[in-house]
Amino acid sequence: MSDITRDDVAHLARLARLAVSDAELDMFSAQIDAIVDTVSKVGEIPDDVPPTAQVVPQTNVVRPDTVEPSLPRDVVLAAAPAAEEGRFRVPRILGEGA
Amino acid sequence: MSWDTQRSGAGPVDSELVSLDAAELARRIHAREVSSVEVTRAHLERIEAVDGPAESGVHAFLHLDADGALAAAGAADRAIADGGPVSPLAGVPIALKDNLTTTDMPTTCASRILEGWRPPYDATVVTRLRAAGLVPLGKTNLDEFAMGSSTENSAFGPSRNPWDLTRIPGGSGGGSSSAVAAGESPLALGSDTGGSIRQPGAVTGTVGVKPTYGTVSRYGLVAFSSSLDQIGPCARSVLDAALLHEVIGGKDANDQTSVSAPLPPVVEAAQAGARGDLAGVRVGVVSEFSGEGYHSGVLAAFTDAVRVLGELGADVVEVSCPSFAYALPAYYLIAPSEASSNLARFDAMRYGLRVGDDGEHAADEVMSLTREAGFGAEVKRRIMIGTHALSAGSYDALYGKAQKARTLIVRDFTAAFETCDVLVSPTTPTTAFAIGERSDDPLAMYLADLCTIPSNLAGNAALSVPCGRSADDGLPVGLQVMAPALADDRAYRVAAAYEAATAGSAAGPRIPELRALETSR
Amino acid sequence: MTATVESAPYTVEEVCEHFDPVMGLEVHVELNTDTKMFCGCANAFGAEPNTNICPVCLGLPGALPRVNGTAVESAITIGLALNCQVRERSGFARKNYFYPDMPKNFQISQYEDPIVFDGYLDVPLDDGGTWRVEIERAHMEEDTGKSLHIGGATGRIHGADYSLLDYNRAGVPLIEIVTKPIVGAGVRAPEVARAYVTALRDVLRGLAVSDVRMDQGSMRCDANVSLKPKGTEEFGTRTETKNVNSLRSVERAVRYEMGRHAGVLLSGGTIRQETRHFDEQSGTTSAGRPKETFADYRFFPEPDLPPLEPSRDWVESLRAGLPERPWERRARIQTEWGLSDEELRDLVNAEALDLVADTVDAGAPPEAARSWWVSYLAQQANTAGVTLPELAITPVQVARVVALVGEGTLTNKLARQVVDGVLAGEGEPDEVVSGRGLAVVSDESALTTAVDEALAAQPDIAEKIRAGKTKAAGAIVGAVMKATRGQADAARVQELVLERCR
């Protein structure tokens, strides 16, 4: 198999900000291990093949530096879980994330 | 009361209206033989009759906007009455996959995390539909964030296949395809990342098109996998799909991956194809798309379709695309990788669900609790796979190699299109499977997209057109026609020719009766 | 252990007896484009919170980035001014990490293929020499929003009850300029660091691509410092010091970290690779909150943006349009203004040259512009403990004050009060004039009335003036100036007094 362990999945869940339960960890680690094992078939491809990240056949697409209307603040904040003084209110922030 | 009796004999006109093609509806509306309001009302009634209840009906729609639809229909009727120029589809109803932003309806992506979210802007395709006078009926069901092949991953319950309500309507765009198949809407929009328009089209006996990547703006399509996603039409005929394609396609400054090249002449191609002559067209049968995992009934229908193409004058050859073996693995690395990044924005800070904001939990914890509660299992699984594939220790072996696989697949297509004008295959290896049959086995589910994924990875055009029923179970089978990038018209021409040649036979009735459902209500 | 070390760091001279310092400087510069990097929202400092936001910079589902062509042009221009190569094909990449001030929870940046790379800047030092700083790369990215921490004792991030987010700054174009390791500066390392950031600021200001205001965050510096024992080749563990918000702080932060590293290493300890925060008050650094895991940003190519392939013609036209280098400009200015070497050096050392030049560009005569910056404004900066560029007044504002004096609206004394008002945040010079009621009283009838009243109040003096003792007029002028609270033009008052006594 692909050697994805339960601890690996717990780490991935933390990186991805998913507070997964113990039961989910069991389920996901088995499934993800099997899936990663299957998709690892791409490892057969020689290293000298160049990568393709995009299939867009164009380059240098830019827009003019011209101001366009912004959204009304009230509309945006009305969709927010919480707002205060024209700002989005969020729970306390603890330093920089990883 | 039953739908069937209502429709038989000299019943009300609306029973006929819901079975017509969009082109024919548009003709009657524009000739003022019927009003857009009447057509819209007929479809709203059909939805009322067959869509619910969520536990047993077709359940194609997550949100219906009857008032908005009737208002838009009224506006279309007035524009037509005024005698000015109107778009070819003005007044025709349409259903929108619920991952397209709409200002007048919620956009949920069938996820709890976006439940009730009302976007402050319309997707470009929605803006274009409105400008062309089409009538949006509502938002259709999908696998959560378009991740799946059955709509079973919808947080709001699956849609059902109108041909057999115990079966899946395909996915992720099963809501759009089942709405079109069930007579709830003559047209729909879907999004295709690995087959999400074509595979539902195949299993519901409808037409589904994935245009060339970059030819339809993605602005306002909630991104699943940005380098693969493409919006496209769902319809009951090839011509209808082409007409809708022309409404939504073309360059958009809001999407810098949208191409400047002119849209291929798809309507012209569909009309030319319908005249039934494929003389000189070189059709390649991809030999890799058969064998283990393919239903015999599907392969038989496909073989028969290839025979028909030959009878229409096409030169049929077999081609090999050996690198397609890497398509599924590459797809299940690239799509989750991009998704892990695209879905990071759902963090409870600015919009959508927020869980655990009790004054004790810090922002970081609230993010994790919200994402845990708001995402379903398949979405979490893919986010974690993508996070893994992009991690420093795995990038080269997984994501990096998947990009190399993409190169090989592009090369296989390029080589095949040197000798063929189009390539054909079954759209999906099987007919509609039973709801619940594969829901515990993600890998089995992923196989449904085996034939459709290569075109997403390479960005070329591909569509699915109905190709009769499987002798195994009587369910619809789809023929996939693939064309080079920016040559979508070739696929339309071949599909339209095949459709015309088999009208009334191979494709069977376009709208199932849904009698069972009607009488049970 | 660390506490004692931090309270008594080694001097740079002591450090360099044992070690060679190695520095790497990362400077973020906000471009002054009209719009943001990836959307058409205004790029404006100080707007009402969340008024310059749209689906794109707010990261709403379905929104897509759109590259600002002017920002790309600025990035290339900066690269050319720093003698960099322009990459034939470059692209954007996503840097993934969760943080509430970043709407998409990824930052669109550049990773393996930055737009420009491999350059250098010859940096003038205090003694007249230069130091060549090699540039590794400069790349484009987007800024984050700003958070306000509410509750708790201090209003700082630690101990806050909750936070309020403003995304106006989210998506503002940033250019990150990264040096190669700066090796061999020895005891001059802190000076070289400051001189580099100063020179970089001058170059960028000359290009007019950024406001380069460290006090407003439009230019920010992160200083990486490590020590390698003398005679060895391998670099030591580095620390990255953030929150370095002035040129002086760049020098102080490097000096402090050098001393701190030496203290730790010489007492047998090891340096932890970490981010440290510079404290302006104490001039020391402190460790940030330790990360639970080493950051894994999972960079991958941005799928929503096609690659950039700047044409040779485009690059060459930008190169041809580069302004003269700051040092060339200095030589020219010296000639044009007729400055002695010493006067020029004083201007440069006081960081006043560009300010004066900009004031002149805004319409002020060179002598008046120079006089304001080197005397009154220099005093104010000194009193406030800031550098001249950090003063809350712009060259354009100074030029306006000079113009108001020139047209007779202000006396020199009133002009100083207007400058005080601008520095106190009372707005533009004209707003201060009307807000404080500082304009010279030039209403002839009002002045005449005031003169008549003063003459009537002191009839004996009025008599003397009429008798030809014009020197006595001084007392009446003084009374009028007092009555008008100094806002009258004393010379004109003198004339009026003599007129009325004729």
Side-chain angles (χ1 to χ4, degrees), chain A residues 54-58 61, chain B residues 212-219 226-227 229-230 251-260, chain C residues 64-66 302-306:
Chain A
Q54 279 184 321
V55 291
V56 186
Q58 53 196 11
V61 187
Chain B
T212 297
Y213 184 84
T215 56
V216 178
S217 169
R218 293 181 295 115
Y219 188 71
S226 314
S227 75
D229 296 341
Q230 187 64 149
K251 173 134 189 92
D252 174 21
N254 282 328
D255 175 358
Q256 291 195 332
T257 63
S258 86
V259 297
S260 328
Chain C
L64 296 172
R66 290 180 295 138
E302 167 56 84
D304 288 327
L305 295 171

Side-chain angles (χ1 to χ4, degrees), chain C residues 165-245:
Chain C
L165 290 166
D166 169 13
Y167 292 103
N168 281 347
R169 199 182 65 178
V172 164
L174 283 180
I175 304 295
E176 181 175 346
I177 302 158
V178 182
T179 68
K180 291 182 181 167
I182 301 170
V183 190
V187 294
R188 300 187 74 174
E191 181 203 343
V192 167
R194 176 185 40 75
Y196 164 69
V197 180
T198 307
L200 185 59
R201 186 202 58 182
D202 292 351
V203 167
L204 297 178
R205 183 178 288 149
L207 298 176
V209 293
S210 168
D211 299 340
V212 283
R213 290 280 299 265
M214 291 189 86
D215 58 324
Q216 291 185 349
S218 56
M219 183 171 185
R220 315 196 273 268
C221 177
D222 299 339
N224 291 281
V225 173
S226 68
L227 297 181
K228 71 183 171 85
K230 274 199 171 309
T232 64
E233 284 311 311
E234 203 163 316
F235 293 175
T237 305
R238 66 186 166 85
T239 54
E240 180 180 13
T241 302
K242 291 182 178 288
N243 198 35
V244 186
N245 295 329

Side-chain angles (χ1 to χ4, degrees), chain C residues 483-499:
Chain C
T484 58
R485 286 176 300 138
Q487 292 173 36
D489 179 348
R492 179 66 191 139
V493 173
Q494 170 94 9
E495 284 171 21
L496 278 175
V497 171
L498 296 180
E499 246 173 59

Side-chain angles (χ1 to χ4, degrees), chain B residues 109-157:
Chain B
C109 299
S111 180
R112 295 281 174 209
I113 212 156
L114 270 184
E115 196 167 0
W117 180 59
R118 283 191 182 253
Y121 74 109
D122 274 333
T124 295
V125 290
V126 174
T127 304
R128 290 183 179 177
L129 291 182
R130 295 193 204 276
L134 279 95
V135 177
L137 297 171
K139 306 295 286 287
T140 58
N141 199 10
L142 64 153
D143 287 295
E144 185 177 6
F145 286 104
M147 296 180 192
S149 307
S150 69
T151 71
E152 290 167 287
N153 296 329
S154 168
F156 309 113

Side-chain angles (χ1 to χ4, degrees), chain B residues 50-126:
Chain B
V50 305
D51 205 59
E55 298 73 30
S56 57
V58 175
H59 194 223
F61 284 89
L62 293 179
H63 182 88
L64 206 59
D65 182 14
D67 293 343
L70 290 169
D77 283 333
R78 284 191 296 279
I80 291 159
D82 287 347
V86 293
S87 147
L89 290 175
V92 177
I94 186 165
L96 307 173
K97 193 176 181 180
D98 200 25
N99 58 354
L100 297 168
T101 59
T102 45
T103 48
D104 52 356
M105 291 181 270
T107 297
T108 68
C109 299
S111 180
R112 295 281 174 209
I113 212 156
L114 270 184
E115 196 167 0
W117 180 59
R118 283 191 182 253
Y121 74 109
D122 274 333
T124 295
V125 290
V126 174

Side-chain angles (χ1 to χ4, degrees), chain B residues 356-377:
Chain B
D357 186 7
D358 53 7
E360 292 300 313
H361 289 113
D364 209 49
E365 296 165 310
V366 169
M367 285 184 188
S368 299
L369 291 167
T370 303
R371 291 164 62 81
E372 169 64 12
F375 288 141

Side-chain angles (χ1 to χ4, degrees), chain B residues 329-416:
Chain B
Y331 175 82
Y332 279 99
L333 287 165
I334 291 168
S337 294
E338 294 183 9
S340 71
S341 175
N342 283 329
L343 271 61
R345 71 192 64 201
F346 302 103
D347 66 355
M349 299 294 116
R350 292 161 298 281
Y351 49 81
L353 184 69
R354 180 181 286 183
V355 171
D357 186 7
D358 53 7
E360 292 300 313
H361 289 113
D364 209 49
E365 296 165 310
V366 169
M367 285 184 188
S368 299
L369 291 167
T370 303
R371 291 164 62 81
E372 169 64 12
F375 288 141
E378 180 65 18
V379 172
K380 289 183 214 174
R381 199 153 42 224
R382 295 207 196 182
I383 287 174
M384 287 190 282
I385 291 169
T387 304
H388 175 65
L390 291 174
S391 294
S394 317
Y395 186 97
D396 290 341
L398 295 178
Y399 180 79
K401 282 290 173 97
Q403 285 192 322
K404 293 177 191 295
R406 215 169 166 176
T407 303
L408 296 181
I409 289 157
V410 170
R411 287 178 184 171
D412 272 5
F413 267 120
T414 305

Side-chain angles (χ1 to χ4, degrees), chain C residues 89-110:
Chain C
R89 184 180 172 95
S90 79
F92 292 95
R94 292 189 185 175
K95 180 180 181 179
N96 294 284
Y97 64 99
F98 284 85
Y99 206 68
D101 65 10
M102 200 165 56
K104 303 181 294 295
N105 286 316
F106 62 80
Q107 179 189 38
I108 304 178
S109 180
Q110 297 193 281

